[in-house]
Amino acid sequence: MRWDEAVAKVDRWLATSAGGVERLKCRATGLYPTRQSRDGWRVPVEFDSGTRRFDILIGESFPFEPPRFALVDRPPHLTWPHVESDGVLCLLPSAAAVSGSDPVALVKYLLGEAVNLVETSERGANADDFRAEFLSYWPNDSDAPLVRSLLEPHGPSRLVSVHRLKGLYVVAETSESLTSWLDHAVPVKDTRIREIDPALLVWLELPMLPAEYPKSAKDVVTLVQRAGLGPHLDRLGAEQCQRIVVIIGALSVNGPALAAIVLKPEKSVRAGPGWRSRAGVERGFRPGHAPAALVAQRFLATTRPAKASVERVDTAWIHGRDNDPDLSRLQRAKVAIVGCGSLGGALALGLAQAGVGSLELIDPELLTTANVGRHPLGSSEVGLSKAKALAARIRTDYPHIQRCEGVLASWQQTVARTPDHFLAADLIVSTIGEWGPEATLNAWRHDSHPRPNVLFGWTEPHAVAGHVVGLVGGQGCLACGVTEWGEPLSPVASWPNGTGQRGEPACGVLYQPYGPVEIVHIVALITEAAIDVLIGRATEPFHRIWVAREMILERAGGVWSDSWKADNKLDPKGARIEERSWRPRSDCPICGGGTR
């Protein structure tokens, strides 16, 4: 009913406001099949250059989504910006939201925008939009490969590296960085098959206009020569590389833009041993005696350019689309995570996604089926080392990461084997959740010189609260805030009928029956604390607490502890994060209030 009413209102307005309006019935007539249009109108509009017709295309969600406008009487594609190949105009951002209360006003406004776009285009006043939105207009030929770039998107023009997979090319600054990415993303048993070849990056002062796009191999040669890379192209031509990759880059007003051209030999040219003489590139010379420059010239003349889009996969783009001010510090950071269970595993993924450059994951346990319900790993990794399998997953999913290693051992064994490496970490995060190894880690830190930054993160029973304690700047001691059995001196919850801890039908196997939903806030708490330490936002010892809603606590059989109620007289109901300082305790058995 709303659709019918909205269309009827627009129909009446068009009938009284414009002459020669036609109803399109898009679905019935098959017009614009890729646009999923249900109905529409064709409206003639007078311009100084003559009459031009617009098609107004209405979808199923009208009037709560805007109609599309297509220009019927238009010049060839890429003559004007914001006009797609089927004539549809780009008038609003793709995620634009509109009010459905006045469909006539919506259509009227967009028709005005369409008219303004045509008038501006006729005057040639918006040609620079081709440069600003270069990636929207650069063609992607049907026979072109997918190109992924690890390049640093800036000048000058230079020689770079490329690896060709079937249907996928990957370009990088050096063969070493490219090999590292490939080893993570596409692991193979025999690395000798990693054939890495030279490629060219041509950096321009401005993105190209459509009229400047290379149409022939000669145009590409001219472009490369102007960039000062002619000798490199001649060498590739003399070697008769079967596919020569040229990356085009420029800085637009919206940031760096990259595109690719692949020079491919024509299908009529046969490849294989001895094919040079058959192709005629050594015509007039004995085999192997033709001048390299002439061979390059003749070979390049046999190629044709295939234009391809480029998908950036470099670190700066993946982490913040070039706009994360903390990324450079995170890239240089080294983090060791002790305990790769439900908290530590999710933390490792979060830090990788944030852009931390080096991760060492330490855990002595294997993944079991009981872990799968609240662990980032799944059934396919059951029976494998949690740390090693998680590290492999991170390297594959984030191949740009500099280092991610898994260690099947306790942290004590790791320190015994590589003490300097462990101490070199910018941050150590423990999510073991067991007092014995964490007390030992705390004592080891206290005795180390210098003292590393350490975070301890844990959940209270049933995940009704989560804690993270940051020992940073050489200060702080975990034992100052816990009992001699490792329980917090000021817990959030208390349990009149016991904590509800469950046991498996096995000797001494206890667990807490909570799932990934209950701990998601605690994972975020610890991850944010780790980032704060790494980028220098947290420089003194701290204690952060996430508290669940009161309803969740009561459902689990708990009540607010006396200490929590005393510290939160105004609002003890939870559902928030609280930050406190982590104070030294004069009778602390480890640090004696910082005096030992």
Side-chain angles (χ1 to χ4, degrees):
M1 289 177 60
R2 291 184 183 276
W3 190 91
D4 291 336
E5 292 173 1
V7 170
K9 289 179 180 179
V10 174
D11 196 54
R12 289 193 297 270
W13 175 74
L14 287 172
T16 58
S17 303
V21 176
E22 303 175 39
R23 195 70 175 266
L24 292 179
K25 301 292 184 184
C26 300
R27 182 175 294 171
T29 58
L31 286 173
Y32 305 98
T34 63
R35 299 294 178 173
Q36 298 181 343
S37 301
R38 177 175 171 180
D39 206 337
W41 300 268
R42 179 162 291 178
V43 181
V45 177
E46 293 297 327
F47 293 87
D48 292 340
S49 58
T51 301
R52 295 187 187 273
R53 294 167 294 168
F54 292 96
D55 284 350
I56 305 173
L57 311 176
I58 303 296
E60 295 285 0
S61 298
F62 183 76
F64 300 106
E65 71 172 4
R68 293 181 181 272
F69 280 68
L71 182 60
V72 180
D73 306 298
R74 59 186 184 274
H77 183 47
L78 296 183
T79 302
W80 292 347
H82 311 298
V83 183
E84 299 188 30
S85 58
D86 59 357
V88 172
L89 308 179
C90 299
L91 302 176
L92 291 174
S94 57
V98 298
S99 168
S101 61
D102 192 344
V104 172
L106 174 62
V107 171
K108 186 176 181 180
Y109 168 76
L110 290 175
L111 181 58
E113 290 293 295
V115 170
N116 181 64
L117 173 60
V118 171
E119 291 176 339
T120 305
S121 299
E122 286 183 332
R123 297 195 306 271
N126 58 357
D128 280 347
D129 291 355
F130 278 124
R131 301 190 195 275
E133 300 172 8
F134 173 76
L135 298 182
S136 295
Y137 301 104
W138 180 262
N140 189 26
D141 295 338
S142 59
D143 61 341
L146 173 64
V147 180
R148 289 181 174 165
S149 168
L150 292 160
L151 298 171
E152 297 177 9
H154 57 69
S157 299
R158 56 194 181 270
L159 194 67
V160 294
S161 298
V162 63
H163 176 68
R164 303 178 186 88
L165 298 163
K166 186 176 182 180
L168 170 65
Y169 293 1
V170 185
V171 292
E173 293 291 341
T174 65
S175 59
E176 292 79 13
S177 61
L178 182 50
T179 298
S180 175
W181 191 93
L182 290 167
D183 286 346
H184 292 169
V186 193
V188 294
K189 293 181 179 179
D190 188 354
T191 56
R192 290 175 298 178
I193 68 172
R194 298 263 193 240
E195 294 183 3
I196 296 178
D197 298 311
L200 307 176
L201 170 62
V202 174
W203 194 262
L204 305 175
E205 290 187 6
L206 292 171
M208 293 178 173
L209 295 173
E212 300 168 336
Y213 296 168
K215 299 178 179 61
S216 65
K218 182 179 179 181
D219 293 339
V220 178
V221 171
T222 301
L223 183 70
V224 172
Q225 289 174 340
R226 287 175 180 170
L229 299 178
H232 295 297
L233 182 62
D234 288 344
R235 178 168 64 85
L236 294 175
E239 294 172 357
Q240 299 166 70
C241 293
Q242 298 228 0
R243 289 185 183 336
I244 299 175
V245 179
V246 180
I247 304 297
I248 308 296
L251 183 63
S252 76
V253 296
N254 294 318
L258 297 176
I261 301 171
V262 180
L263 288 173
K264 307 167 61 175
E266 294 284 359
K267 292 181 179 180
S268 59
V269 177
R270 296 177 60 190
W275 75 280
R276 284 189 282 190
S277 59
R278 290 196 293 271
V281 295
E282 293 190 327
R283 185 177 62 254
F285 296 89
R286 286 182 296 138
H289 288 74
L294 180 61
V295 171
Q297 179 183 356
R298 289 177 174 177
F299 170 75
L300 291 171
T302 69
T303 64
R304 60 183 178 85
K307 300 180 184 67
S309 59
V310 172
E311 182 180 15
R312 286 182 58 186
V313 293
D314 58 285
T315 303
W317 182 251
I318 287 176
H319 302 290
R321 301 193 190 192
D322 292 329
N323 285 287
D324 185 349
D326 301 318
L327 181 60
S328 60
R329 296 185 69 170
L330 293 174
Q331 276 189 278
R332 297 191 300 270
K334 301 176 181 179
V335 178
I337 298 177
V338 179
C340 297
S342 55
L343 286 181
L347 169 68
L349 289 180
L351 293 181
Q353 289 177 320
V356 172
S358 178
L359 294 169
E360 184 161 15
L361 314 181
I362 302 165
D363 196 300
E365 296 183 350
L366 306 180
L367 188 74
T368 68
T369 55
N371 302 140
V372 170
R374 60 187 190 193
H375 199 280
L377 298 175
S379 296
S380 60
E381 288 97 355
V382 168
L384 302 180
S385 160
K386 291 180 182 178
K388 289 181 174 291
L390 187 59
R393 169 82 66 85
I394 289 174
R395 288 194 301 268
T396 301
D397 290 349
Y398 310 98
H400 58 281
I401 197 169
Q402 298 170 23
R403 178 179 177 272
C404 185
E405 298 297 331
V407 180
L408 179 61
S410 67
W411 77 265
Q412 296 97 321
Q413 293 169 325
T414 305
V415 170
R417 287 198 296 258
T418 56
D420 294 338
H421 182 69
F422 201 66
L423 278 169
D426 299 292
L427 177 64
I428 300 167
V429 186
S430 174
T431 57
I432 303 173
E434 296 179 15
W435 174 236
E438 291 197 325
T440 310
L441 176 59
N442 178 61
W444 169 84
R445 173 191 178 270
H446 182 267
D447 297 337
S448 298
H449 300 283
R451 291 174 181 160
N453 295 324
V454 178
L455 292 185
F456 291 92
W458 70 91
T459 71
E460 291 196 22
H462 296 273
V464 298
H467 299 256
V468 59
V469 171
L471 309 180
V472 295
Q475 306 175 60
C477 167
L478 179 65
C480 285
V482 300
T483 69
E484 59 184 308
W485 299 281
E487 297 180 357
L489 293 175
S490 299
V492 170
S494 62
W495 306 89
N497 301 314
T499 61
Q501 199 170 44
R502 307 292 175 82
E504 293 184 14
C507 182
V509 180
L510 301 176
Y511 67 94
Q512 287 289 339
Y514 59 79
V517 175
E518 288 85 349
I519 64 169
V520 66
H521 299 286
I522 303 172
V523 170
L525 179 82
I526 301 171
T527 306
E528 183 181 34
I531 297 296
D532 285 348
V533 173
L534 293 173
I535 65 175
R537 278 200 299 243
T539 57
E540 295 182 352
F542 61 86
H543 179 201
R544 296 179 188 174
I545 309 166
W546 173 82
V547 186
R549 290 175 294 141
E550 189 172 41
M551 178 269 291
I552 295 176
L553 175 70
E554 293 174 347
R555 189 174 61 187
V559 297
W560 301 123
S561 69
D562 292 339
S563 60
W564 175 257
K565 288 188 289 187
D567 291 340
N568 297 274
K569 293 182 175 63
L570 297 179
D571 181 18
K573 293 185 180 296
R576 73 174 193 266
I577 294 175
E578 181 171 314
E579 181 161 1
R580 303 172 177 177
S581 60
W582 189 253
R583 299 183 181 90
R585 181 162 55 96
S586 59
D587 61 343
C588 174
I590 299 298
C591 72
T595 60
R596 296 179 184 174

